[in-house]
């Protein structure tokens, strides 16, 4: 693979996370020669999504703390006298404190494997070789065949019908189940010793007497391809920067989305649905008529608060929570606005920040549904792949499982001039984008990182029963004690193509104050109950049953200043990993800033050219005319698609 790589590029991007992928796509679109490499065997880095067996492979890799690839220790031999090398890290240390618990009955047999999986590879099950371990965490046939020249999405990830649509929004009840990835079988043992000791309920005779809603661990393994489990849990604001970029660049044709159907709140030990749109407010049975009028009046003010500075200027220095107490709102309404609409806490935001957050929430309502949020089918990991595909369409070259040993710096100019890869090949470039996790401890010795606490749960039913079992919900659980943070809960149903039918995939996220388990387990215990035979008998239990749980801490480098890294040349640009926020605005802003540094005065991810307007043989006047006709109209498909995104009501007419 490396023997076929060109020796010179304009931009080399190391890491395939969302900011790197957007920047690579923008550079490729502007005519830059782009090489995009990743030492992992899958796209996305910490933004990736995995099938269940793929996640087990990923867990095994981190728990064994093994190297991602075999390094070439002799890269120093390729450094000349007037050069010096910046070594890149041999290990990804962004994930810590991994703990896994299985509560479902473990009636496992040695021959249990995923339905539709590739032929069982015993080496990948038992070997601790990191390359083999990662191999099972992605789709070998499609990705491997396309990693050098293109970024073709696997056909099961992006159905053919999507290619002519710009941003597909589906009702959650309408979408059927469909398999996506095809992973090797991985080890199905518990990923922590505690899991083994806590789960001794396995009995053979229970498999012969299936009970209602009884889900076993072997079923989860068999249906593993139905799961697409995100490492980072986020949603897309319908009028956010990422949605606007997807529409503008026409990358939205590579993805499908669903509306979040419910905004929930956790109050006094109960989960309640929050009315946020005008229709929801007036249809709510939990609000009195007086409360409905109070809430509508306050939300109307929030939409226009900047036009009435006298209403809030005196309260700018206090928290948003204190400000709400000065308004004519009941404690019930104050709670809903603070935690479920502004999505902040009692101490986290001042009045201005709270009003901005509330206005942003309301501004996004109604564009694609009754809530402000969208979720990509098959998981957040689809988004980096969409931009990688755009980059490849415009000539970007992709190499997965391809590590870079070091960055080569010229001593006189103090500019980075090349990289040396795992095969010892020197590849020259003008600009270098590197994801934070690739830097060594020497480079990051002065960097202070924050941490994100994450948990992924598989449950048997929703946290709030409804007429339809296909609900996608977001819930904010306030901080339980001083020094901790509010926990964001996102619950996904099977129609999002992220879990098997009859289960829900639940993501919990908060800023870390302790380990992920210590931060999140109290919330898990309040919302769910462990899946045991006793609970199976008690069908009237209100709490959903917990089948499987994962806890881990992820590094948050989004706040790190570039000056914190040691001795980086000016043409090396740093991309951060995922932040703890709900949206993706930070990644888009970062990508656009980096692109403008590399390609000043260039348009950031403009729409693709209309094939009908491309002139192969013709004068410049004809070419300019075709270009000017493209800007307002795009191609025959694009106007309708853009209108349907920017103004869904108009398209429906």
């Amino acid at each position: 693979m490396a023997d076929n790589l060109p020796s010179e590029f304009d931009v080399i991007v190391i890491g395939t996370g969302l900011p790197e992928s957007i920047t690579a796509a923008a550079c490729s679109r502007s005519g830059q020669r782009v090489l995009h490499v990743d030492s992992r065997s899958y796209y996305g880095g910490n933004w990736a999504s995995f099938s269940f067996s793929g996640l087990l492979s990923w867990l095994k890799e981190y728990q064994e703390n093994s190297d991602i690839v075999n390094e070439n220790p002799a890269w120093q031999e390729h450094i000349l006298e007037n050069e010096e090398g910046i070594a890149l890290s041999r290990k990804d240390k962004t994930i810590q404190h991994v703990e896994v618990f299985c509560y479902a009955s473990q009636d496992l047999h040695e021959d249990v494997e995923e339905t539709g999986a590739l032929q069982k590879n015993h080496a990948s099950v038992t070997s601790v070789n990191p390359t083999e371990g990662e191999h099972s965490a992605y789709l070998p046939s499609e990705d491997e065949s396309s990693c050098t020249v293109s970024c073709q999405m696997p056909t099961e990830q992006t159905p053919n019908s999507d290619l002519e649509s710009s941003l597909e929004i589906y009702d959650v009840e309408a979408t059927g189940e469909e398999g996506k990835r095809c992973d090797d079988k991985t080890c199905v043992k518990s990923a922590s010793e505690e899991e083994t000791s806590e789960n001794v309920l396995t009995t053979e005779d229970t498999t012969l007497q299936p009970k209602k809603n009884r889900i076993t661990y072997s079923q989860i393994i068999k249906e593993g391809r139905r799961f697409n489990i995100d490492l980072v849990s986020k949603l897309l604001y319908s009028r956010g920067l990422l949605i606007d970029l997807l529409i503008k660049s026409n990358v939205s044709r590579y993805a499908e989305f669903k509306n979040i159907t419910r905004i929930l709140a956790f109050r006094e030990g109960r989960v309640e649905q929050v009315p946020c749109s005008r229709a929801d407010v007036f249809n709510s049975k939990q609000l009195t008529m007086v409360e409905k009028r109070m809430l509508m009046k306050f939300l109307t003010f929030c939409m226009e608060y900047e036009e009435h500075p006298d209403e809030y200027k005196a309260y700018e220095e206090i928290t948003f929570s204190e400000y709400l107490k000065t308004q004519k709102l009941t404690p019930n309404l104050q709670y809903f606005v603070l935690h479920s609409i502004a999505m902040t806490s009692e101490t986290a935001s001042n009045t201005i920040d709270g009003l901005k957050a509330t206005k942003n929430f309301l501004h996004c309502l109604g564009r694609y549904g009754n809530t402000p949020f969208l979720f990509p089918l098959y998981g957040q990991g689809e988004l980096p792949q969409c931009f990688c595909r755009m980059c490849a369409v415009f000539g970007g070259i992709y190499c997965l499982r391809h590590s870079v040993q070091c960055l080569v710096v010229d001593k006189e100019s103090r500019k980075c001039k090349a990289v040396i890869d795992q095969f010892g090949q020197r590849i020259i470039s003008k600009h270098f984008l590197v994801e934070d996790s690739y830097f060594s401890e020497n480079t990051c010795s002065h960097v202070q990182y924050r941490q994100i606490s994450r948990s992924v749960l598989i449950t048997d039913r929703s946290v709030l029963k409804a007429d339809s079992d296909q609900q996608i919900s977001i819930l904010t659980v306030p901080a339980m004690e001083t020094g901790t943070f509010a926990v964001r809960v996102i619950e996904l149903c099977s129609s999002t193509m992220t879990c098997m039918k009859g289960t829900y995939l639940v993501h919990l996220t908060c800023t870390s104050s302790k380990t992920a388990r210590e931060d999140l387990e109290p919330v898990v215990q309040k919302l769910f109950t462990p899946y045991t035979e006793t609970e199976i008998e008690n069908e009237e239990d209100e709490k959903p049953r917990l089948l499987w749980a994962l806890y881990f801490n992820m590094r948050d480098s989004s706040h790190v200043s570039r000056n914190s890294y040691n001795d980086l040349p000016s043409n090396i640009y740093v991309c951060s990993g995922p932040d703890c926020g709900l949206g993706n605005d930070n990644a888009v802003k970062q990508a656009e800033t980096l692109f403008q540094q590399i390609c000043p005065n260039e348009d950031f991810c403009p729409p693709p050219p209309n094939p009908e307007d491309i002139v192969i043989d013709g004068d410049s006047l004809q070419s300019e005319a075709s270009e000017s006709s493209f800007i307002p109209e795009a191609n025959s498909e694009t106007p309708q698609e853009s209108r349907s995104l920017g103004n869904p009501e108009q398209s429906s007419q």
Side-chain angles (χ1 to χ4, degrees), residues 434-453:
V434 185
E435 201 268 321
D436 168 86
S437 66
Y438 282 87
F439 287 116
S440 66
E441 292 183 359
N442 291 334
T443 304
C444 303
S445 60
H446 295 96
V447 177
Q448 296 293 323
Y449 292 109
R450 292 191 296 234
Q451 295 289 323
I452 302 170
S453 290

Side-chain angles (χ1 to χ4, degrees), residues 241-453:
L241 295 180
L242 185 54
I243 287 291
D244 292 342
L245 180 62
L246 288 166
I247 297 169
K248 172 188 175 184
S249 62
N250 215 13
V251 171
S252 55
R253 66 172 57 199
Y254 302 139
E256 300 172 276
F257 300 86
K258 279 189 177 295
N259 294 112
I260 304 305
T261 58
R262 301 185 300 185
I263 309 294
L264 304 179
F266 185 76
R267 187 164 185 245
E268 297 177 352
R270 299 194 319 274
V271 177
E272 303 174 357
Q273 185 165 352
V274 177
C276 48
S277 67
R278 183 182 297 270
D280 287 342
V281 169
F282 286 105
N283 290 330
S284 174
K285 296 180 180 179
Q286 63 199 85
L287 299 180
T288 66
M289 186 58 65
V290 174
E291 284 182 316
K292 291 178 181 180
R293 291 173 180 169
M294 287 180 178
L295 182 59
M296 286 307 303
K297 182 178 180 180
F298 179 75
L299 295 181
T300 301
F301 160 72
C302 289
M303 283 296 294
E304 305 168 348
Y305 81 92
E306 293 168 318
E307 300 174 10
H308 307 281
D310 295 340
E311 297 287 334
Y312 64 88
K313 280 292 184 182
Y315 306 102
E316 286 185 345
E317 302 300 324
I318 64 175
T319 65
F320 188 52
S321 175
E322 292 295 325
Y323 171 73
L324 291 176
K325 293 177 182 178
T326 68
Q327 304 301 298
K328 294 180 180 180
L329 297 173
T330 64
N332 196 31
L333 296 180
Q334 292 176 31
Y335 188 93
F336 284 167
V337 171
L338 182 67
H339 297 292
S340 299
I341 296 181
M343 294 187 177
T344 183
S345 65
E346 283 81 358
T347 58
S349 300
N350 60 30
T351 299
I352 299 298
D353 292 338
L355 289 172
K356 285 181 180 178
T358 303
K359 180 180 178 179
N360 183 50
F361 182 99
L362 298 172
H363 181 62
C364 294
L365 281 174
R367 190 179 191 187
Y368 300 118
N370 291 329
T371 70
F373 306 112
L374 298 175
F375 179 79
L377 286 185
Y378 304 111
Q380 175 80 21
E382 291 297 289
L383 299 178
Q385 295 187 62
C386 290
F387 285 98
C388 288
R389 184 171 185 173
M390 174 184 173
C391 178
V393 165
F394 288 96
I397 294 179
Y398 279 81
C399 289
L400 298 180
R401 302 188 304 281
H402 195 109
S403 65
V404 173
Q405 304 300 298
C406 74
L407 304 167
V408 181
V409 179
D410 184 80
K411 289 183 178 179
E412 294 182 3
S413 65
R414 295 306 302 169
K415 294 277 188 177
C416 186
K417 58 193 295 188
V419 300
I420 295 177
D421 69 6
Q422 64 193 54
F423 300 104
Q425 181 180 1
R426 175 182 287 243
I427 306 174
I428 300 172
S429 181
K430 302 173 184 175
H431 304 279
F432 303 82
L433 270 74
V434 185
E435 201 268 321
D436 168 86
S437 66
Y438 282 87
F439 287 116
S440 66
E441 292 183 359
N442 291 334
T443 304
C444 303
S445 60
H446 295 96
V447 177
Q448 296 293 323
Y449 292 109
R450 292 191 296 234
Q451 295 289 323
I452 302 170
S453 290

Side-chain angles (χ1 to χ4, degrees), residues 70-91:
N70 292 324
E71 300 280 348
N72 177 11
W75 59 264
Q76 295 92 338
E77 299 175 359
H78 302 278
I79 302 298
L80 305 179
E81 290 184 3
N82 62 336
E83 299 172 344
E84 61 184 37
I86 300 177
L88 297 185
S89 177
R90 299 190 299 172
K91 297 181 181 181

Side-chain angles (χ1 to χ4, degrees), residues 567-622:
D567 300 326
L568 285 186
S570 60
N571 62 335
I572 295 179
Y573 310 92
V574 183
C575 288
S576 71
D579 63 336
C580 195
L582 175 60
N584 297 274
D585 283 3
N586 183 67
V588 178
K589 289 177 182 177
Q590 183 179 171
E592 185 169 8
T593 300
L594 295 176
F595 172 76
Q596 293 299 339
Q597 293 176 11
I598 297 171
C599 303
N601 304 320
E602 291 282 343
D603 192 8
F604 181 59
C605 287
N610 188 339
E612 296 178 0
D613 293 334
I614 296 176
V615 178
I616 299 177
D617 294 317
D619 57 29
S620 60
L621 293 177
Q622 182 179 359

